[in-house]
Amino acid sequence: MIKKLAADAMLTAEMRLSNNIQLLGDLLDQAILEVEGEAVAQKIAAIRQAALRFHQNHDQQASLDLEQLLADLSLEHTVRVVRALAYFKHLVNLAEDLYGQELGHCQQNTPAPGMLSHTLAQIKASGIAPQKIQQLLQDALISPVLTAHPTEVQRKSVLDIEQLIAELLGQRGHMVSERQLARNKLLLQGAVSALWQTRMMRYSKLSVLNEIENALTYYESTFLHVIPEILQDIERDLADWLPGMDLPGILRMGSWIGGDRDGNPFVNGTTLRDSVRLQATTLFKFYLQELAALKRELAVSTRVVGVDEAVLALAKASRDQSSHRLDEPYRLALNGVHDRLLVTASHLLPDASWSLPEEVGNEPYEDPEALLHPLQTIADSLRHHHGEALIYPRLGKLIKAIVTFGFHLATVDIRQSSDVHEAVISELLHKAGYDFDYASFNEEEKIGLLLEELKQPRLLFSPFQQYSELVHKEIGVLEAVREVRQRFGEHAVRQYIISHTETLSDLLEVALLQREAGLLRGVWGSANIQVDLNIVPLFETIADLRDAPMIMGKWLSLIGIRHVIRFQGNEQEVMLGYSDSNKDGGFLTSNWELYKAEISLVELFNQANVKLRLFHGRGGTVGRGGGPTYQAIMAQPIGTVDGQIRLTEQGEIISTRYADPVVGRQHLETLIAATLDATLFPADQLEPAKRRAFESVMEALSATAMTSYRSLVYETPGFADYFFNTTPIEEIAGLNLGSRPAARKSTRRIEDLRAIPWGFSWGQCRLLLPGWYGLGSAIHQFLAHDPALKQARLEMLLEMQAHWPLFNTLINNVDMVLAKTDLIVARHYAHLLADKALREEIFSRIAHEHKLTTDAVNLLLGTTQRLATQPVIAKSIRDRLPYLDPLNHLQVEMIQRYRNGETDEKLKWAIPLTINGIATSLRNTG
């Protein structure tokens, strides 16, 4: 019966998706008609219809009609067509997100892997001792880390309107009267019209402060509400199995916004202070709102039920002694808590506008635990006096929020490149009177000097000395760290991430810099040493990943390091970079080297009896470690998750996953499910001998793939010219998308380009090269190496696809990338390069590799149909293509005109509109 209801509900959801897309399209048409007039509206409709006919029916006449329609557009009409196509895809995304929510609800009664309910049921049925699960949950840490993004294309104003449209659309499914539906349609028409009349792109570049404020909207809409709900529901779901368990804040948010200085000259101590201050302001406002609501809701009278003496004492101490509420002690007690929290907010955040009554006390809460105490007292009293049901709606969630967010909201990581640290240390040593050049030392000399300096009680930095702007900036950031930790608690800033970690001295330099700012106390080797910030190496390139176990082995072998690690809870975090390793060695090799590094690091830390936490620097695109989250985490090597994981959330992925609280909850639950499943029920069940055989094959495949990739990208003369001419990378770099520059240096070298705009640009031209290039050559050469062994080797690959999560996930991700790739469209972009010989040489190589890769995926999956096992995603992509192709066509034409010297302001703004529209259609572009 339940299965039939679910099937009927899914059918209804599919019908509603179709109806909602049709409705939103009609409303957009009406909005365009009212503003632009009938001629423009008809032209847009004709283009959409021709594109649809061509894709649905392979109608060649429709293709010719479409080309003619696009060719006949004036520049002014081109801007309107681009906006219409882009906004239509925005609206389709909203309808599809709602459909995804409804599918999720339909599947709740039949839990499947990837759903938290399935994981919790599996835990109960597994026979694992409850005490083991309780310990796992006590030690668990799951931390999505939001990062600022140099290709984030969405404006907050647009996101706000789209959130309203999503809410209105969701309400339609619950309406039963024609009058309700008609009113809802009017509200939707107003919102869609507002969307059409709202500027899609920014006129000015985002500042770091803008990025901080934008990120906080996701806390207000989703994280502050959803995370406490999830934690409370896990407790309830496990209550019969783990009675009385008090689940800690296993889901903690992180942020790089305001603290990530690597390549961003606009991030400094001020932006760090701003980030933590604005986060805390948002958080205290939320706490105060929740307390105000609780005061209204908990009007429990002692004339009806009893209360604990501790609550009566809180009520008596409250400023509120109104005769109308003397029998309502919970309200009086909560009023006292509200007053004291208001004092705390004004004490910690004096520049914010807090309205304090004159008669309020002046003693702030010392820390979040002090705030929790009276709330826990109230909750205990409710349990003792028939009020358990009153805890869940709000009080329980507020308690979980305080446990999770403290007084800081999200932990801000700070990050800087290792070469900057070296420059700062060199100058500090020089200004302190040393007559040598630290930067010219070999590695052993650097290690010796740094360890010797760390044993000295005096500082190198002197307030009476003159230093460069770089030194003042870097020391200033660390001083800001010390200040915000003292004010908002140690979780405000916990990690110092070192980009481009290549040697042991890179880690020791950060230890020394912490000492200079008072964040390292004591001397190296002393059992009393205290290092406030966890020193987190980031291994990014293929060479760095290969060296990671050696470097961390030396770190763990340092005399005195155990005292440092013990102070930090016997934990060490290591970050792995997916983006730069992909740009360096290609898709297959990047994933393989990451896998090998993880295994070696786990073995190393297990031998050292130190807890290892891996921080995965993933992006939205497959080429940057993206793809379905559950499958990605389950494909991690056994033992590498172990109840803890941190991972970056970037670009369009942030708004896609977290703008809507329902979607946000689904994704956060998936993160928890994946972390617990990978720890308790790893998908990799291979026998050791079989795994070694598979790994040997992967080693061979990786070597071929990397050779193929690097031969194209780094060894082909003129490839950089091809890339810079045939993708919109230069236009992307000039957009007002984020505060951080698109390249680390002002060159046209691929090595200096940031991995994010590198991948973003390939997506715009529909090649998505970082997500597949090299795989085809690897599979082809592996099978062709020995004709006599071809069948046996094919059977080995098919076995790997069927039984090894790593290989299965890689092939499925490439399948998804190929579904979005279009060589016909990409060839249009290739014609932006005037050098015909170079164009044909490189494009023909790309096309050849694309064919090899397509053939390989077809062979391994046993089908020529893309995404055959994921029909919902396949349909979504197919439905997008009719509106994506015209955007690509127009983008190529306008880039050509812009590069040829046309200066019309409309042209300058039309190109970013196409970038927005294409990114919106591809979705996982971050």
Side-chain angles (χ1 to χ4, degrees), residues 1-15 106:
M1 179 65 179
I2 289 175
K3 286 186 177 179
K4 185 179 185 309
L5 286 173
D8 290 344
M10 289 175 72
L11 189 60
T12 302
E14 288 176 9
M15 292 174 57
C106 295

Side-chain angles (χ1 to χ4, degrees), residues 673-722:
T675 304
L676 296 178
D677 283 353
T679 303
L680 298 169
F681 317 109
D684 184 346
Q685 297 295 326
L686 295 170
E687 294 292 328
K690 181 64 72 175
R691 185 180 295 107
R692 285 194 296 272
F694 287 175
E695 289 172 349
S696 177
V697 173
M698 272 296 289
E699 189 68 35
L701 293 174
S702 172
T704 306
M706 182 170 174
T707 298
S708 174
Y709 172 83
R710 288 194 64 86
S711 171
L712 175 75
V713 174
Y714 294 102
E715 296 165 13
T716 300
F719 181 81
D721 288 335
Y722 180 90

